[in-house]
Amino acid sequence: MTSAPKSNAVQPIIWLGDRLRLLDQRLLPLEETYLDCRSAAEVAEAIHGMAVRGAPAIGIAAAYGLVLAVRGDLKAFEAAEQVLAASRPTAVNLRWALARLRGLWQRGADAAALELEARRIHEEDLAQNLHMGELGAALLPQHARVITHCNTGALATGGHGTALGVIRTAYAQGKIGQVYNTETRPWLQGARLTAWELMREGIPAKLIADGAAAHLMRIERIDWVIVGADRIATNGDTANKIGTYMLAVAARRHGAKFMVVAPSGTFDLDCPNGEAIPIEERIATELTEFRGQQIAPGGMQAFNPVFDVTPAELIDAIVCERGVIANPTVDKITALLR
Amino acid sequence: MTSAPKSNAVQPIIWLGDRLRLLDQRLLPLEETYLDCRSAAEVAEAIHGMAVRGAPAIGIAAAYGLVLAVRGDLKAFEAAEQVLAASRPTAVNLRWALARLRGLWQRGADAAALELEARRIHEEDLAQNLHMGELGAALLPQHARVITHCNTGALATGGHGTALGVIRTAYAQGKIGQVYNTETRPWLQGARLTAWELMREGIPAKLIADGAAAHLMRIERIDWVIVGADRIATNGDTANKIGTYMLAVAARRHGAKFMVVAPSGTFDLDCPNGEAIPIEERIATELTEFRGQQIAPGGMQAFNPVFDVTPAELIDAIVCERGVIANPTVDKITALLR
């Protein structure tokens, strides 16, 4: 990741030629520990176990995982591809990154060419984020007061971040007045990871409970809600971390604008709209326990969807590296991606 | 609490003549431990420390606290009243219960008369809840699918509950299809206490993250959102646990109806509207830590309001023991309370 700007110290994905070094995000913010993966299976396990998370970061890690697999034997490609694709089924970037390497591999590329492509995916992601940061920051007013959700920063990407990348760039431009970041139940990525990134850079930020966002919008001016995306349908409907839709509904009521920031690899043109996006549900214990401590009574059932869908009508702007789509529609999206 | 119905096994407040026995709600659902308070100061400490919580329950406990103070010396009334009033400044029921005893005390009532009045407050609360349960349940359709927030059950009241009392009564009538209860960050009263009460009675319930409610309303039919209240202004604007307002906004968007259930002691006719209700903010560590374990990085700031205000325009019905106020207005409320 030699192209990472010096100012951005967070390096969650480091390619070392013979192994992939991952910042173990499960231990943040209390410990900065790195995990070395020497095989595709180890990378898949790191993705599945959420040592690395965030749609773009997962795609990049998976690409390096394929590279680790083909170093000894190019024929190991397909088995590795399968295990990596299964590691987190929802993020569309994962499938997209694997497909990029598959295209090359089918045309007979060798291990060195595949490694170059993985590094390119990584570097492109960072470059795209820096560009999206500029595009998104240009939409913000001076002294902008913004809310962000989940973690979409350097930790979730090849560096800089998507939604948090916009906030980073805007802060560097002196445009940020106040950031509020949701804790993001049940995994607390906001409380753990986004808070950690914001504090490292000295960006003025306050943590809020997910349910406090509408109250905050009611009592104080919020200019923009800025979020990432795990998948964007052809009509602009956007799947993102659970809680995003509620923020969009509250934002519309209070006149706050709503921005989705995601690279073009996040669009899924096979999905006509949000109804077609599968929503992963996870086990009840993510809500009924906390780090192994029981919270709810034993046997309590839970409904634990990981993502929700925000309809395009509630989105004021989708920022991707190819440009800004205001009030997204099928026509605008297909025109930009064509 | 001899008048509690046999079917309702939850007895969080038990008056024993010389002491007040409180179910320590901080340890639920893992432990059912009782705390004996022998003085007003001990009751105030239990309220402040949240061994007992919920606006009506706090009022009842405070009334018994005064009784403990005057048993030896009627002149101890005012000092005890002061320490109890300061124990949780927001809940209006606390002030209301203390004022009821003060009225009697000023007219020269003795300790026995004050004890009788405290028992009456307790018994009235239970009777009111049972009546509100009937009134609220009558509004629900068959196979009702409802969302509730925080804990408003037997644990929060003199028995049966307010919003959860409506669900209890409706369940006894065979009208409940499915309950979803929010975990209610940051204190997790929903995950800990409401889940415990629902499971004890076998009411079909699933726990959800606070941020998942809008998604749930989008993908499944929800008939009513049913909540309690900490204070209701003269125009119907309602202060309740943080996250309530967000539920009301989402409910209106999805055609789910919104019901507030609270005894008439919850109305504050000194408050013309929600703007006049002070919103308690608490320390950052309630969000940045969990049971002493650090979650967010050290020094992270937080905005941690305990309550929010739901405007009357989003409330379809306020259920109090005097009747149901549909689409509340100043005129309807003052007419009912007159």
Side-chain angles (χ1 to χ4, degrees), chain B residues 106-156:
Chain B
Q106 282 176 328
R107 293 195 296 278
D110 63 6
L114 292 171
E115 177 178 349
L116 194 67
E117 186 69 3
R119 293 172 64 101
R120 203 172 276 145
I121 287 172
H122 191 176
E123 285 163 17
E124 278 176 13
D125 187 71
L126 175 59
Q128 286 172 354
N129 289 348
L130 291 167
H131 185 49
M132 291 191 293
E134 299 286 335
L135 293 174
L139 300 176
L140 303 188
Q142 283 298 323
H143 315 296
R145 299 172 58 79
V146 305
I147 295 176
T148 190
H149 188 53
C150 198
N151 176 265
T152 59
L155 292 170

Side-chain angles (χ1 to χ4, degrees), chain A residues 243-330:
Chain A
T244 302
Y245 171 51
M246 207 142 168
L247 291 173
V249 170
R252 179 58 52 95
R253 178 175 171 92
H254 289 284
K257 292 194 169 181
F258 192 85
M259 186 193 305
V260 172
V261 187
S264 53
T266 314
F267 286 90
D268 183 353
L269 300 185
D270 294 339
C271 273
N273 56 54
E275 304 293 314
I277 303 177
I279 298 296
E280 182 185 352
E281 286 179 29
R282 293 178 63 109
I283 52 170
T285 49
E286 290 184 352
L287 287 167
T288 59
E289 298 178 1
F290 181 81
R291 295 185 187 169
Q293 268 188 71
Q294 198 181 326
I295 297 171
M300 182 65 192
Q301 290 192 290
F303 171 59
N304 183 23
V306 184
F307 304 101
D308 60 25
V309 172
T310 298
E313 49 137 338
L314 295 180
I315 300 171
D316 293 288
I318 299 178
V319 174
C320 84
E321 82 285 0
R322 299 200 188 180
V324 175
I325 306 166
N327 306 312
T329 62
V330 176

Side-chain angles (χ1 to χ4, degrees), chain A residues 101-112:
Chain A
L101 292 201
R102 167 170 275 275
L104 272 184
W105 176 76
Q106 283 175 327
R107 292 195 297 278
D110 62 6

Side-chain angles (χ1 to χ4, degrees), chain A residues 29 181 183 185 191 199 207 211 214-215 243 245-246 253-254 290-291 293 295-296 298 300-303 308 313, chain B residues 29 181 183 185 191 199 207 211 214-215 243 245-246 253-254 290-291 293 295-296 298 300-303 308 313:
Chain A
N181 66 300
E183 56 174 1
R185 287 287 295 156
M199 284 195 73
L207 185 63
H215 170 68
Y245 171 51
M246 207 142 168
R253 178 175 171 92
H254 289 284
F290 181 81
R291 295 185 187 169
Q293 268 188 71
I295 297 171
M300 182 65 192
Q301 290 192 290
F303 171 59
D308 60 25
E313 49 137 338
Chain B
N181 66 300
E183 57 175 0
R185 287 287 293 155
M199 284 195 74
L207 184 63
H215 171 68
Y245 171 50
M246 208 141 169
R253 178 175 172 92
H254 288 285
F290 180 81
R291 294 185 187 171
Q293 267 187 72
I295 297 171
M300 182 66 191
Q301 291 192 290
F303 170 59
D308 60 25
E313 49 136 339

